[in-house]
Amino acid sequence: MGNKIRVYVDKNKCIGSTTCIYYAAQTFTLDSEGKSTVVNVDGNDINKIQEAVDSCPVGAITIEKDKQ
Ligand code: SF4
């Protein structure tokens, strides 16, 4: 608990499959180019975000965790 996380989407890799949005709809949304973008890291459980990372078909999402 209390760990901060940062989430990044590599838009050069993202193919707009929306899988990440299925798993973590409060964290990811599609931008105007149909690529995933991070809107709110705190809105979803870390496990949901991790599921999104694991399910991305092109490995476009990265999580960084800070230990406090
Ligand atoms: S799951 Fe991966 S490829 Fe699909 S929209 Fe999310 S970041 Fe893009």
Side-chain angles (χ1 to χ4, degrees):
M1 298 295 287
N3 287 353
K4 286 270 187 192
I5 64 165
R6 284 186 294 270
V7 183
Y8 304 100
V9 174
D10 183 342
K11 294 194 182 193
N12 291 322
K13 288 186 182 174
C14 176
I15 57 171
S17 68
T18 71
T19 315
C20 55
I21 298 167
Y22 173 80
Y23 283 106
Q26 294 172 335
T27 297
F28 301 99
T29 191
L30 286 191
D31 67 14
S32 59
E33 296 177 341
K35 307 278 188 174
S36 178
T37 190
V38 176
V39 287
N40 180 13
V41 171
D42 296 327
N44 273 117
D45 188 281
I46 179 65
N47 295 325
K48 294 288 183 192
I49 298 173
Q50 187 65 55
E51 279 188 284
V53 171
D54 294 342
S55 65
C56 176
V58 293
I61 310 168
T62 304
I63 294 183
E64 281 183 6
K65 297 171 189 169
D66 282 346
K67 291 206 176 96
Q68 291 185 332

